Amino acid sequence: MQAEDVRALRRSAVPTALVGVACVAVGSIVDGTKGALGALLALAVVTVFFSISRYVVGRAARTSPQAMMIAALGSYMVKIVALAVLLNAFRDSTAFNGRVFGFCAIILVLAWSGTQVREMSRNKVLQVEPRP
């Protein structure tokens, strides 16, 4: 990963982790240990999924814009399938609160996406490679 990728990842992960701590606190108030565990699982899933995407797309961007687009779409499809598998595997689980997991996952996705939008609007990265 390049230094700018690491910096962008950190600028998204830290605020999301702070929101995740708030989600864990609210989850523990709502349903005790099961609520807190649901929020922690949501934080882990969101962080891992978005970090993997950032890494894969960053690596592919060094190759070509076409490879970057293929990597972005491919990682999106893999994440959707993995999420479906996870949700199906834990459908009847009583180890954590599924509603807290779902709400916290939505909140954390919005937090991560919001920080990404803020980062992209702040950094004005060229999207088209200028000709030498």
Side-chain angles (χ1 to χ4, degrees), residues 13 34 49-50 53 73 79 84 95 117-118:
K34 289 183 180 186
F49 277 24
F50 278 103
S53 281
L73 291 173
K79 288 189 304 187
V117 168
R118 187 188 72 209

mmCIF file of all heavy atoms in Angstrom, residues 13 34 49-50 53 73 79 84 95 117-118:
data_model
loop_
_atom_site.group_PDB
_atom_site.id
_atom_site.type_symbol
_atom_site.label_atom_id
_atom_site.label_comp_id
_atom_site.label_asym_id
_atom_site.label_seq_id
_atom_site.Cartn_x
_atom_site.Cartn_y
_atom_site.Cartn_z
ATOM 1 N N ALA A 13 -10.907 4.466 9.223
ATOM 2 C CA ALA A 13 -11.017 3.441 10.262
ATOM 3 C C ALA A 13 -11.163 4.033 11.652
ATOM 4 O O ALA A 13 -11.934 3.515 12.471
ATOM 5 C CB ALA A 13 -9.812 2.507 10.212
ATOM 6 N N LYS A 34 -25.312 -9.671 24.761
ATOM 7 C CA LYS A 34 -25.663 -10.063 23.393
ATOM 8 C C LYS A 34 -25.707 -8.851 22.465
ATOM 9 O O LYS A 34 -25.301 -8.927 21.308
ATOM 10 C CB LYS A 34 -26.998 -10.796 23.372
ATOM 11 C CG LYS A 34 -26.917 -12.170 23.971
ATOM 12 C CD LYS A 34 -28.240 -12.890 23.864
ATOM 13 C CE LYS A 34 -28.116 -14.275 24.491
ATOM 14 N NZ LYS A 34 -29.328 -15.060 24.288
ATOM 15 N N PHE A 49 -14.357 -5.832 5.754
ATOM 16 C CA PHE A 49 -14.835 -5.750 4.378
ATOM 17 C C PHE A 49 -14.302 -4.504 3.679
ATOM 18 O O PHE A 49 -13.815 -4.580 2.552
ATOM 19 C CB PHE A 49 -16.365 -5.755 4.340
ATOM 20 C CG PHE A 49 -16.970 -7.122 4.405
ATOM 21 C CD1 PHE A 49 -16.300 -8.191 4.961
ATOM 22 C CD2 PHE A 49 -18.242 -7.343 3.926
ATOM 23 C CE1 PHE A 49 -16.872 -9.449 5.017
ATOM 24 C CE2 PHE A 49 -18.826 -8.597 3.972
ATOM 25 C CZ PHE A 49 -18.138 -9.652 4.523
ATOM 26 N N PHE A 50 -14.399 -3.357 4.310
ATOM 27 C CA PHE A 50 -13.951 -2.128 3.662
ATOM 28 C C PHE A 50 -12.436 -2.064 3.559
ATOM 29 O O PHE A 50 -11.901 -1.523 2.587
ATOM 30 C CB PHE A 50 -14.497 -0.895 4.383
ATOM 31 C CG PHE A 50 -15.903 -0.555 3.970
ATOM 32 C CD1 PHE A 50 -16.968 -0.856 4.783
ATOM 33 C CD2 PHE A 50 -16.152 0.066 2.767
ATOM 34 C CE1 PHE A 50 -18.263 -0.548 4.418
ATOM 35 C CE2 PHE A 50 -17.450 0.380 2.376
ATOM 36 C CZ PHE A 50 -18.506 0.070 3.204
ATOM 37 N N SER A 53 -11.398 -4.211 0.590
ATOM 38 C CA SER A 53 -11.709 -3.523 -0.667
ATOM 39 C C SER A 53 -10.691 -2.441 -0.968
ATOM 40 O O SER A 53 -10.224 -2.311 -2.095
ATOM 41 C CB SER A 53 -13.090 -2.891 -0.613
ATOM 42 O OG SER A 53 -14.062 -3.846 -0.835
ATOM 43 N N LEU A 73 -15.368 -3.984 -8.706
ATOM 44 C CA LEU A 73 -16.597 -4.758 -8.910
ATOM 45 C C LEU A 73 -16.467 -6.169 -8.362
ATOM 46 O O LEU A 73 -17.406 -6.702 -7.753
ATOM 47 C CB LEU A 73 -16.958 -4.792 -10.396
ATOM 48 C CG LEU A 73 -17.423 -3.465 -10.985
ATOM 49 C CD1 LEU A 73 -17.581 -3.583 -12.494
ATOM 50 C CD2 LEU A 73 -18.714 -3.011 -10.340
ATOM 51 N N LYS A 79 -17.817 -9.453 -1.450
ATOM 52 C CA LYS A 79 -18.355 -8.986 -0.163
ATOM 53 C C LYS A 79 -19.839 -9.292 -0.027
ATOM 54 O O LYS A 79 -20.293 -9.700 1.046
ATOM 55 C CB LYS A 79 -18.109 -7.482 0.017
ATOM 56 C CG LYS A 79 -16.683 -7.140 0.289
ATOM 57 C CD LYS A 79 -16.496 -5.701 0.681
ATOM 58 C CE LYS A 79 -17.039 -4.742 -0.336
ATOM 59 N NZ LYS A 79 -16.726 -3.342 -0.037
ATOM 60 N N ALA A 84 -23.886 -12.550 2.562
ATOM 61 C CA ALA A 84 -25.034 -13.462 2.485
ATOM 62 C C ALA A 84 -24.731 -14.777 3.201
ATOM 63 O O ALA A 84 -25.576 -15.307 3.924
ATOM 64 C CB ALA A 84 -25.404 -13.722 1.027
ATOM 65 N N ALA A 95 -26.408 -16.300 20.020
ATOM 66 C CA ALA A 95 -25.198 -15.835 20.699
ATOM 67 C C ALA A 95 -25.121 -14.312 20.753
ATOM 68 O O ALA A 95 -24.493 -13.746 21.645
ATOM 69 C CB ALA A 95 -23.955 -16.387 20.006
ATOM 70 N N VAL A 117 -16.085 9.878 1.619
ATOM 71 C CA VAL A 117 -16.527 11.021 0.811
ATOM 72 C C VAL A 117 -15.796 12.275 1.250
ATOM 73 O O VAL A 117 -15.309 13.058 0.415
ATOM 74 C CB VAL A 117 -18.063 11.202 0.924
ATOM 75 C CG1 VAL A 117 -18.504 12.531 0.350
ATOM 76 C CG2 VAL A 117 -18.773 10.051 0.234
ATOM 77 N N ARG A 118 -15.691 12.474 2.561
ATOM 78 C CA ARG A 118 -14.971 13.644 3.067
ATOM 79 C C ARG A 118 -13.512 13.620 2.628
ATOM 80 O O ARG A 118 -12.960 14.635 2.205
ATOM 81 C CB ARG A 118 -15.053 13.694 4.590
ATOM 82 C CG ARG A 118 -14.469 14.975 5.167
ATOM 83 C CD ARG A 118 -14.376 14.939 6.661
ATOM 84 N NE ARG A 118 -13.280 14.009 6.988
ATOM 85 C CZ ARG A 118 -13.215 13.299 8.088
ATOM 86 N NH1 ARG A 118 -14.172 13.349 8.965
ATOM 87 N NH2 ARG A 118 -12.195 12.503 8.318
#
